[in-house]
Coordinates of all heavy atoms in Angstrom, one line a residue:
D59 N -2.5 -7.7 -10.2 CA -1.1 -8.4 -10.0 C -1.1 -8.7 -8.5 O -1.9 -8.4 -7.7 CB 0.0 -7.6 -10.5 CG 0.2 -6.2 -10.0 OD1 -0.5 -5.9 -8.9 OD2 1.0 -5.5 -10.5
L60 N 0.1 -9.3 -8.1 CA 0.3 -9.6 -6.8 C 0.4 -8.4 -5.9 O 0.0 -8.4 -4.7 CB 1.6 -10.5 -6.6 CG 1.5 -11.9 -7.2 CD1 2.8 -12.7 -7.1 CD2 0.4 -12.7 -6.5
F61 N 1.0 -7.4 -6.4 CA 1.1 -6.1 -5.6 C -0.3 -5.6 -5.3 O -0.5 -5.2 -4.2 CB 1.9 -5.0 -6.3 CG 3.4 -5.4 -6.4 CD1 4.2 -4.8 -7.5 CD2 4.1 -6.2 -5.5 CE1 5.6 -5.0 -7.5 CE2 5.4 -6.6 -5.7 CZ 6.2 -5.9 -6.7
G62 N -1.1 -5.5 -6.3 CA -2.5 -5.0 -6.1 C -3.2 -5.9 -5.1 O -3.9 -5.3 -4.2
E63 N -3.1 -7.2 -5.2 CA -3.8 -8.1 -4.2 C -3.3 -7.9 -2.8 O -4.1 -7.9 -1.9 CB -3.6 -9.6 -4.7 CG -4.3 -10.0 -5.9 CD -3.9 -11.4 -6.3 OE1 -3.5 -12.2 -5.5 OE2 -4.0 -11.6 -7.5
F64 N -1.9 -7.7 -2.7 CA -1.4 -7.5 -1.4 C -1.8 -6.2 -0.7 O -2.3 -6.1 0.4 CB 0.1 -7.4 -1.5 CG 0.8 -7.1 -0.1 CD1 1.0 -8.2 0.8 CD2 1.2 -5.8 0.1 CE1 1.6 -7.8 1.9 CE2 1.8 -5.6 1.3 CZ 2.0 -6.6 2.3
V65 N -1.9 -5.1 -1.6 CA -2.4 -3.8 -1.1 C -3.8 -4.0 -0.6 O -4.2 -3.5 0.5 CB -2.2 -2.7 -2.1 CG1 -3.1 -1.4 -1.8 CG2 -0.8 -2.4 -2.3
L66 N -4.8 -4.6 -1.4 CA -6.1 -4.7 -1.1 C -6.3 -5.6 0.2 O -7.1 -5.1 1.1 CB -6.9 -5.3 -2.2 CG -7.1 -4.4 -3.5 CD1 -7.8 -5.1 -4.6 CD2 -7.9 -3.1 -3.1
R67 N -5.6 -6.6 0.3 CA -5.7 -7.4 1.5 C -5.2 -6.7 2.7 O -5.8 -6.7 3.8 CB -4.9 -8.7 1.3 CG -5.0 -9.7 2.5 CD -4.4 -11.0 2.2 NE -2.9 -10.9 2.0 CZ -2.4 -11.1 0.7 NH1 -3.1 -11.5 -0.3 NH2 -1.1 -11.0 0.6
S68 N -4.1 -5.9 2.6 CA -3.5 -5.1 3.7 C -4.6 -4.0 4.2 O -4.6 -3.8 5.4 CB -2.2 -4.5 3.3 OG -1.3 -5.5 3.0
L69 N -5.2 -3.4 3.2 CA -6.2 -2.4 3.5 C -7.4 -3.1 4.3 O -7.8 -2.5 5.3 CB -6.8 -1.7 2.2 CG -5.7 -0.8 1.5 CD1 -6.3 -0.4 0.2 CD2 -5.3 0.4 2.3
G70 N -7.8 -4.1 3.8 CA -8.9 -4.9 4.5 C -8.5 -5.3 5.9 O -9.3 -5.2 6.8
D71 N -7.3 -5.8 6.1 CA -6.8 -6.2 7.4 C -6.9 -5.0 8.3 O -6.9 -5.2 9.6 CB -5.4 -6.7 7.3 CG -5.3 -8.1 6.6 OD1 -6.4 -8.7 6.3 OD2 -4.2 -8.5 6.3
R72 N -6.7 -3.8 7.9 CA -6.7 -2.7 8.7 C -8.1 -2.0 8.8 O -8.2 -0.8 9.2 CB -5.7 -1.6 8.2 CG -4.2 -2.1 8.4 CD -3.3 -1.3 7.6 NE -1.9 -1.7 7.9 CZ -1.3 -2.8 7.3 NH1 -1.9 -3.6 6.6 NH2 0.0 -3.0 7.7
C73 N -9.1 -2.6 8.3 CA -10.5 -2.2 8.3 C -10.7 -0.9 7.5 O -11.5 0.0 7.9 CB -11.0 -2.0 9.8 SG -11.0 -3.5 10.8
I74 N -10.0 -0.9 6.4 CA -10.1 0.3 5.5 C -11.1 -0.2 4.3 O -10.8 -1.2 3.7 CB -8.8 0.8 5.0 CG1 -8.0 1.2 6.2 CG2 -9.0 1.9 3.9 CD1 -6.5 1.4 5.8
D75 N -12.1 0.6 4.1 CA -13.1 0.2 3.0 C -12.3 0.5 1.6 O -12.0 1.6 1.3 CB -14.3 1.1 3.1 CG -15.2 0.8 2.0 OD1 -15.0 -0.1 1.1 OD2 -16.3 1.6 1.9
A76 N -12.0 -0.6 0.9 CA -11.3 -0.5 -0.3 C -12.2 -0.9 -1.5 O -11.8 -1.1 -2.6 CB -10.1 -1.5 -0.4
S77 N -13.6 -0.8 -1.2 CA -14.5 -1.2 -2.2 C -14.5 -0.2 -3.5 O -15.0 -0.5 -4.5 CB -15.9 -1.2 -1.7 OG -16.4 0.0 -1.2
R78 N -13.9 1.0 -3.2 CA -13.8 2.0 -4.3 C -12.5 2.0 -5.1 O -12.3 2.9 -5.9 CB -14.1 3.4 -3.7 CG -15.6 3.5 -3.2 CD -15.7 4.7 -2.3 NE -16.9 4.7 -1.5 CZ -17.1 4.2 -0.4 NH1 -16.2 3.7 0.3 NH2 -18.3 4.2 0.2
V79 N -11.7 1.0 -4.7 CA -10.4 0.9 -5.4 C -10.6 0.1 -6.7 O -11.3 -1.0 -6.6 CB -9.3 0.2 -4.5 CG1 -8.1 -0.1 -5.3 CG2 -9.1 1.1 -3.2
I80 N -10.2 0.6 -7.7 CA -10.4 -0.1 -9.1 C -9.2 -0.9 -9.4 O -8.0 -0.5 -9.2 CB -10.6 1.0 -10.1 CG1 -11.9 1.8 -9.8 CG2 -10.7 0.4 -11.5 CD1 -12.1 3.0 -10.6
R81 N -9.5 -2.2 -9.8 CA -8.5 -3.1 -10.3 C -8.3 -2.9 -11.8 O -9.3 -2.9 -12.6 CB -8.8 -4.5 -10.0 CG -9.2 -4.9 -8.6 CD -8.1 -5.4 -7.6 NE -7.0 -6.0 -8.2 CZ -6.6 -7.2 -7.9 NH1 -7.4 -8.1 -7.3 NH2 -5.4 -7.7 -8.4
D82 N -7.1 -2.5 -12.3 CA -6.8 -2.2 -13.6 C -5.8 -3.1 -14.2 O -4.6 -3.1 -13.8 CB -6.4 -0.8 -13.8 CG -6.2 -0.3 -15.2 OD1 -6.1 -1.1 -16.1 OD2 -6.1 0.9 -15.3
S83 N -6.1 -3.9 -15.2 CA -5.2 -5.0 -15.7 C -4.1 -4.3 -16.5 O -3.0 -4.9 -16.8 CB -5.9 -6.0 -16.6 OG -6.5 -5.3 -17.7
T84 N -4.3 -3.0 -17.0 CA -3.2 -2.3 -17.8 C -2.2 -1.6 -16.9 O -1.2 -1.1 -17.3 CB -3.9 -1.3 -18.8 OG1 -4.5 -0.3 -18.0 CG2 -4.8 -2.0 -19.6
L85 N -2.6 -1.5 -15.6 CA -1.7 -0.8 -14.7 C -0.6 -1.6 -14.2 O -0.8 -2.7 -13.7 CB -2.5 -0.3 -13.5 CG -1.8 0.6 -12.5 CD1 -1.4 1.9 -13.1 CD2 -2.8 0.9 -11.3
R86 N 0.7 -1.1 -14.3 CA 1.8 -1.8 -13.8 C 2.3 -1.1 -12.5 O 3.0 -0.1 -12.6 CB 2.9 -1.9 -14.8 CG 2.5 -2.8 -16.0 CD 2.4 -4.2 -15.6 NE 1.9 -5.0 -16.7 CZ 0.6 -5.5 -16.7 NH1 -0.1 -5.4 -15.6 NH2 0.2 -6.3 -17.6
R87 N 1.7 -1.4 -11.4 CA 2.0 -0.7 -10.2 C 3.4 -1.0 -9.7 O 3.9 -2.1 -9.9 CB 1.0 -1.1 -9.1 CG 0.8 0.0 -8.1 CD 0.0 1.1 -8.7 NE 0.4 2.4 -8.3 CZ 0.9 3.3 -9.1 NH1 1.3 3.0 -10.3 NH2 1.2 4.5 -8.7
G88 N 4.0 -0.2 -8.9 CA 5.3 -0.3 -8.5 C 5.4 -0.7 -7.1 O 4.4 -0.9 -6.4
V89 N 6.6 -0.7 -6.6 CA 6.9 -1.0 -5.2 C 8.1 0.0 -4.8 O 8.9 0.3 -5.6 CB 7.3 -2.4 -5.0 CG1 8.6 -2.8 -5.8 CG2 7.5 -2.8 -3.5
T90 N 8.0 0.5 -3.6 CA 9.1 1.3 -3.1 C 10.1 0.4 -2.3 O 9.7 -0.3 -1.4 CB 8.7 2.4 -2.1 OG1 7.8 3.2 -2.8 CG2 9.8 3.2 -1.6
V91 N 11.3 0.4 -2.7 CA 12.4 -0.3 -2.1 C 13.3 0.6 -1.3 O 13.8 1.6 -1.7 CB 13.4 -1.1 -3.1 CG1 14.4 -1.8 -2.4 CG2 12.5 -2.0 -4.0
S92 N 13.2 0.4 0.1 CA 14.0 1.3 1.0 C 15.1 0.5 1.6 O 15.0 -0.5 2.1 CB 13.1 1.7 2.2 OG 12.0 2.6 1.7
L93 N 16.3 1.1 1.4 CA 17.6 0.5 1.9 C 18.0 1.3 3.2 O 18.1 2.5 3.1 CB 18.6 0.6 0.8 CG 18.3 0.0 -0.5 CD1 19.5 0.2 -1.4 CD2 18.1 -1.5 -0.4
R94 N 18.2 0.6 4.2 CA 18.7 1.2 5.5 C 20.0 0.6 5.8 O 20.2 -0.4 6.4 CB 17.7 0.9 6.6 CG 16.4 1.6 6.4 CD 15.5 1.3 7.6 NE 14.2 1.9 7.3 CZ 13.1 1.6 8.0 NH1 13.2 0.7 9.0 NH2 12.0 2.2 7.7
P95 N 21.1 1.2 5.3 CA 22.4 0.7 5.4 C 22.8 0.6 7.0 O 22.5 1.4 7.8 CB 23.3 1.6 4.7 CG 22.4 2.5 3.9 CD 21.1 2.5 4.5
S96 N 23.6 -0.4 7.3 CA 24.1 -0.6 8.6 C 25.1 0.4 9.0 O 25.3 0.6 10.2 CB 24.7 -2.0 8.8 OG 25.7 -2.2 7.8
F97 N 25.7 1.1 8.1 CA 26.8 2.0 8.5 C 26.4 3.5 8.7 O 27.2 4.4 8.9 CB 27.9 2.0 7.3 CG 27.3 2.4 5.9 CD1 27.1 3.7 5.6 CD2 26.9 1.4 5.0 CE1 26.5 4.0 4.3 CE2 26.4 1.7 3.8 CZ 26.2 3.0 3.4
C98 N 25.1 3.7 8.7 CA 24.6 5.1 9.0 C 23.4 5.0 9.9 O 22.8 3.9 10.2 CB 24.3 5.9 7.8 SG 23.0 5.3 6.8
N99 N 22.9 6.1 10.5 CA 21.8 6.1 11.4 C 20.5 5.7 10.7 O 20.4 5.7 9.5 CB 21.7 7.5 12.2 CG 21.3 8.6 11.2 OD1 20.8 8.3 10.2 ND2 21.8 9.8 11.6
R100 N 19.5 5.5 11.5 CA 18.2 5.0 11.0 C 17.5 6.1 10.0 O 16.6 5.8 9.2 CB 17.2 4.8 12.1 CG 17.6 3.5 12.9 CD 16.6 3.2 13.9 NE 15.3 2.7 13.3 CZ 15.1 1.5 12.9 NH1 16.0 0.6 12.8 NH2 13.8 1.2 12.4
G101 N 17.9 7.4 10.1 CA 17.4 8.4 9.3 C 17.9 8.2 7.8 O 17.4 8.9 6.9
C102 N 18.9 7.4 7.5 CA 19.5 7.3 6.3 C 18.8 6.2 5.5 O 18.7 5.1 5.9 CB 21.0 6.9 6.4 SG 21.8 6.6 4.8
C103 N 18.2 6.7 4.4 CA 17.3 5.8 3.6 C 17.4 6.1 2.1 O 17.3 7.3 1.8 CB 15.9 5.8 4.2 SG 14.7 4.8 3.2
L104 N 17.5 5.1 1.3 CA 17.5 5.3 -0.1 C 16.2 4.6 -0.6 O 16.1 3.5 -0.5 CB 18.7 4.7 -0.8 CG 18.7 4.6 -2.3 CD1 18.7 6.0 -2.9 CD2 19.9 3.8 -2.8
A105 N 15.3 5.4 -1.2 CA 14.1 4.8 -1.7 C 14.2 4.8 -3.2 O 14.5 5.8 -3.9 CB 12.9 5.6 -1.3
V106 N 13.9 3.6 -3.8 CA 13.9 3.4 -5.2 C 12.4 3.0 -5.6 O 11.9 2.0 -5.1 CB 14.9 2.2 -5.7 CG1 14.9 2.1 -7.1 CG2 16.2 2.6 -5.1
R107 N 11.9 3.8 -6.5 CA 10.5 3.6 -7.0 C 10.5 2.9 -8.3 O 11.2 3.3 -9.1 CB 9.7 4.9 -7.1 CG 9.7 5.8 -5.9 CD 8.9 5.3 -4.8 NE 7.7 4.8 -5.2 CZ 6.6 5.3 -4.8 NH1 6.6 6.5 -4.1 NH2 5.4 4.9 -5.1
T108 N 9.7 1.9 -8.4 CA 9.7 1.2 -9.7 C 8.6 1.9 -10.6 O 8.6 1.6 -11.8 CB 9.3 -0.3 -9.6 OG1 8.0 -0.4 -8.9 CG2 10.4 -1.0 -8.8
D109 N 7.7 2.6 -10.1 CA 6.7 3.3 -10.9 C 6.3 4.6 -10.1 O 5.7 4.4 -9.1 CB 5.5 2.4 -11.2 CG 4.5 3.0 -12.2 OD1 4.6 4.2 -12.4 OD2 3.7 2.3 -12.7
S110 N 6.6 5.7 -10.6 CA 6.3 7.0 -9.9 C 5.0 7.6 -10.3 O 4.6 8.6 -9.7 CB 7.4 8.0 -10.1 OG 7.6 8.3 -11.4
R111 N 4.3 7.0 -11.3 CA 3.0 7.6 -11.7 C 2.0 7.4 -10.6 O 1.8 6.3 -10.1 CB 2.5 6.9 -13.0 CG 3.4 7.3 -14.2 CD 2.9 6.5 -15.4 NE 3.0 5.1 -15.1 CZ 2.1 4.2 -15.5 NH1 1.1 4.6 -16.2 NH2 2.3 2.9 -15.2
V112 N 1.1 8.4 -10.4 CA 0.0 8.3 -9.5 C -1.2 7.7 -10.4 O -1.5 8.5 -11.4 CB -0.3 9.6 -8.8 CG1 -1.6 9.5 -7.9 CG2 0.8 9.9 -8.0
A113 N -1.8 6.7 -10.0 CA -2.9 6.1 -10.8 C -4.2 6.6 -10.2 O -4.6 6.1 -9.2 CB -2.8 4.6 -10.9
I114 N -4.9 7.6 -10.9 CA -6.1 8.0 -10.4 C -7.3 7.5 -11.2 O -7.2 7.6 -12.5 CB -6.1 9.6 -10.4 CG1 -5.0 10.1 -9.5 CG2 -7.5 10.1 -9.9 CD1 -5.1 9.7 -8.0
A115 N -8.3 7.0 -10.6 CA -9.4 6.4 -11.4 C -10.2 7.6 -12.1 O -10.2 8.7 -11.7 CB -10.4 5.8 -10.4
R116 N -10.8 7.3 -13.2 CA -11.6 8.3 -13.9 C -12.7 8.7 -13.0 O -13.3 8.0 -12.3 CB -12.2 7.7 -15.2 CG -11.1 7.4 -16.2 CD -11.7 6.9 -17.5 NE -12.6 5.8 -17.3 CZ -13.5 5.3 -18.1 NH1 -13.8 6.0 -19.2 NH2 -14.2 4.2 -17.8
V117 N -13.2 10.0 -13.1 CA -14.2 10.6 -12.3 C -15.4 9.9 -12.3 O -16.0 9.6 -11.2 CB -14.4 12.0 -12.6 CG1 -15.6 12.6 -11.8 CG2 -13.1 12.8 -12.4
S118 N -15.8 9.3 -13.5 CA -17.1 8.6 -13.6 C -17.0 7.2 -12.8 O -18.0 6.8 -12.1 CB -17.5 8.3 -15.0 OG -16.5 7.6 -15.7
Q119 N -15.9 6.6 -12.8 CA -15.7 5.4 -12.2 C -15.7 5.6 -10.6 O -16.4 4.9 -9.9 CB -14.4 4.7 -12.5 CG -14.4 4.1 -13.9 CD -13.0 3.6 -14.3 OE1 -12.0 4.2 -14.0 NE2 -13.0 2.4 -14.9

Side-chain angles (χ1 to χ4, degrees):
D59 54 14
L60 292 175
F61 291 158
E63 289 173 27
F64 177 82
V65 167
L66 290 175
R67 186 173 57 250
S68 296
L69 292 171
D71 290 348
R72 291 164 174 79
C73 297
I74 298 168
D75 177 8
S77 65
R78 295 166 190 93
V79 175
I80 296 168
R81 307 265 337 244
D82 185 345
S83 63
T84 65
L85 184 63
R86 295 293 170 248
R87 207 71 221 115
V89 61
T90 298
V91 179
S92 296
L93 305 177
R94 295 182 183 163
S96 57
F97 55 84
C98 65
N99 64 24
R100 291 186 66 80
C102 181
C103 177
L104 170 65
V106 180
R107 305 295 309 253
T108 59
D109 186 347
S110 60
R111 293 175 299 142
V112 175
I114 302 297
R116 290 185 304 159
V117 174
S118 61
Q119 290 175 314

